[in-house]
Every structure is written in C-alpha cells, then in structure tokens.
Amino acid sequence: MSTLLDNNNHPSTENTTPKIGFLSLGCPKNLVDSERILTELRTEGYDVVPSYDDADLVIVNTCGFIDSAVQESLEAIGEALNENGKVIVTGCLGAREDQIREVHPKVLEITGPHSYEQVLSHVHHYVPKPVHNPFLSLTPAQGVKLTPKHYAYLKISEGCNHRCTFCIIPSMRGDLDSREIGSVLDEAKRLVAAGVRELLVISQDTSAYGVDVKHRTGFWNGSPVKTSMVSLCEQLAKLGVWVRLHYVYPYPHVDDVIPLMAEGKILPYLDIPLQHASPKILKLMKRPGAVERTLERIKRWREICPELTLRSTFIVGFPGETEEDFSLLLDFIREARLDRVGCFKYSPVEGAAANELADPVPEAIQEERYHRFMQLQQQISAERLQEKMGKTIAVIIDEVDEEGAIGRSMADAPEIDGSVYLNGHTSLKVGEIIKATVTHADEYDLWAEAL
C-alpha cells in the first residue's frame, strides 16, 4: 500500500479546512516538485493529511522513467481512486496522458512535470481555496520539506540537453532550464537558516548548470555571481554546511570543483552516471566514449583530493552488448575502483530510441551479468571501506534510538549509499555532525565510536 505524505509541522485550523492527500513517487527531483506544490497548498490554507479517508482530493506525483516506475505509478493512481475517488495526477508519467487515461479513465485531471500552477488551478476547481488565517496555519520560510530537517535537496535546473538513447527525460521535462543563481542561493540560505546541515545539489545534469543562459552573470547579496556549477559551489561553500553534488555529467570543467573539495569547501563526493565502459555501447547510448580519458581523470582527481568518493551507475544488458563489451565494463570497474556503484538491467522504456536497436540481450544473460557485476563491485566496495579502519571521520547523525545512533559519513548520500552505526551512543542529536573513529566495516556500511 502506498503511504500518503503528511505535514506534521502545522496545526489544523478547524474541521471545515479542506484537506489534500499527497503521494510522491520517483527521484529526489520529483520530491522537490512535491515540496513546492505542498508549500503552495499550505500557504493557501489547505491541510495535508496522511489518510485517503480524510482527504477531499488526492494528488499523485508520478515517475515514468522506466517500466517498473510506470507500473508503480499506475498502481498508486489506482489505489488512490479506489480509496478516495477524487484524484489529480502530475509528474513525469503525466506527460503521457493517454497511457494513464487508458488504465484510469476516472482521473480528474492530468498534468506533466513541474506544472505547479496547473496543479494548483485544478485543486482550486475541485476543492475551493479556503479562507486562510495565516496566524493559525503558518508555513515556514523554507517551505514544506519532505526530507528530515537536517538535510534538503536543492534543485538548480529542470530538463536536459542530452539525448541518451535509453532515456526519455527530455521528452517529459524539456531541455535544460537553469534557475537564476540568486534564486538558488536565496533558497539555500533559507534552508540553512531553518536548520539544514547538508544541501544535496540536484538536477538532470548538474554540471550543465548555466549552459542555456551562456553562464550569464547574476547577482546575490549585492555581488556579481556567474551562473555556473563552479561559481554556485563557491557560494554554497560560504554557508558553512555540507554541500553534496549529484548527477554530474563528466564535462571538462568538472575538474575545477575538485580543488574546492580538496580545500574542504564542499564535500569530496561526486555522483557521475557513467553508464558503461565499452566504446561501442557508449556510442549506442549516445554517451561520452573516451574511457581511457575517464580513468586518467579519476586518477588525477584522487591525486588532488585523496578523500574523494566517487559514485556512479551502470546499465548491463543494453541492446548489442556482447560478452566482450561486458568484459570491458568489468575491466573498467576493476581499474577505477569506484566507491559507490548502482547497476541496472536494461529495460525498454516507451518512447526511448534504444527500443529500435538490434540484438536485444536475453533476460537470463542480463541477470547473469548483473550478478557478476555486483559481486565484483561488492568486493571492491568492501576493500575501499576496509581502508577506513582506524581512521577518524566526520559523521552527520540521521537517527537516534535506544540502541544508539545511525549516521552518514561524507562518503554517504542519504538513502542510496551506506550508513555509519554508532552503537551505544544514545545521547547524540539528529542533525549533529560529530567526529568518530571507524572500528568495523563490511561491504557497504561502517561501525564507529564517537569521539
């Protein structure tokens, strides 16, 4: 069963206040869209409730990137219809209205991704805007957040200019559309003032930030600031919190952020989706294919910043992938020794150019290659973590209970990477950043003693 989101930070006004149920699916970029819609709803005086029965209307923010996500979204829409009956759909899958209508013709309205104004307009139509008393229902300056108080996603752009053959994001979210740098930095400042200790910078292509506006100069705090990833990182570094970069396409200027990491200005962490290592497969994917250059850059990055953590994702079983291609991928993994790796078996996505490619890889071979890949990476991950034994690391605390605390090191992004377990340390506070000595490691996680 899907879980509706709730906003527990604000008291309900009275029984007649209109109530909205909200379900957010998909990636952190979708989560930021949900936060924006929820902030507007709360500002207008609507209550956000965690029960289908209590809601006057349910909004489902969908994902449509791969088939499994489409199926999950369709099932969530169906559940909302069965449990409530009044449903508005938005998000990536909303760009394919016919597909939704074919399965769920009773959906009230459908909009595509980042269609905030349309969603609110539809809500107003079916559940009229309440008479809002701001003294009874306050929305915080940072807006409604769906993450814990101590970290937040900072989305810097929409869309993507690349045309990877396995991806349909540009058809759903459009080409790159960078936010004004002053607006991004204002939001970051508000979040930090509200208690956020870690900013996770996200977009479809973070390193392309500003390309669409020719890296024009904006202004923040009365000073000129270039609209670029490097300038953004330099300004975020002044806020005194952890800054973590996600979805960084390996442009040459990515080299320029490594010294900032070495100087401790932003976290020594790069999330670069490389996808494969066979030049032939990369060409079929329409991805950069200079694998030797990638290895050289990784070596140089680590020389500049030895503490650098590298995360990446790869696809196995892409159409046309031979055993030789897969062996090249394994060779790359052995040499690159990436810290954090995600692996996906290729699956066709409706509308993706890769669907037309020849020589699809049978499911059984995909499965076998996936397990070989993950077995190798698990070994590498375990060896990389063993290197941390006895070292003192910084840890941000995510949870505390009667058994101790659970946190993350600079090498760990929330929900996708490992954890640091601090058994017995029950007096630590969520959001606190402490120093700890590593005492044990397995394939993905660390155990440590707080200093």
Side-chain angles (χ1 to χ4, degrees), residues 2 5 46 50-51 64-65 73 76 89 91 97-98 114 135 159 161 170 234 282 284 308 318 327 344 368:
S2 302
L5 301 174
Y46 292 91
S51 168
F65 183 51
S73 293
V89 174
E97 181 169 354
D98 292 345
H114 51 91
F135 295 101
N161 288 342
E234 289 172 343
L282 288 168
L284 291 172
L308 178 65
F318 192 79
S327 294
F344 301 91
E368 187 265 344

Side-chain angles (χ1 to χ4, degrees), residues 306-307 384-395 420 435-440 446-449 451:
E307 300 301 314
R384 296 288 289 173
L385 290 179
Q386 282 294 322
E387 295 170 6
K388 298 179 185 289
M389 289 288 291
K391 291 186 177 181
T392 298
I393 61 173
V395 179
V420 180
K435 294 290 186 179
T437 301
V438 178
T439 58
H440 178 69
L446 297 174
W447 281 257
E449 290 292 334
L451 298 180

Side-chain angles (χ1 to χ4, degrees), residues 274-277 291 295 298 302 312-314 316 326-343 372-381 383-384:
L274 296 171
Q275 307 302 3
H276 213 280
V291 177
L295 288 169
I298 289 173
R302 285 174 169 158
S312 190
T313 52
F314 296 89
V316 297
F326 181 66
S327 294
L328 289 173
L329 175 57
L330 295 184
D331 290 343
F332 175 85
I333 292 297
R334 291 188 187 96
E335 188 164 353
R337 294 182 63 76
L338 303 175
D339 302 88
R340 307 293 192 190
V341 172
C343 182
R372 282 163 61 194
F373 180 99
M374 290 307 298
Q375 185 176 15
L376 173 59
Q377 180 54 38
Q378 188 179 63
Q379 176 186 337
I380 293 170
S381 176
E383 290 170 358
R384 296 288 289 173

Side-chain angles (χ1 to χ4, degrees), residues 245-263:
L245 301 181
H246 285 281
Y247 315 118
V248 179
Y249 204 89
Y251 294 120
H253 67 257
V254 173
D255 295 355
D256 297 332
V257 302
I258 306 301
L260 298 179
M261 296 177 177
E263 295 164 15

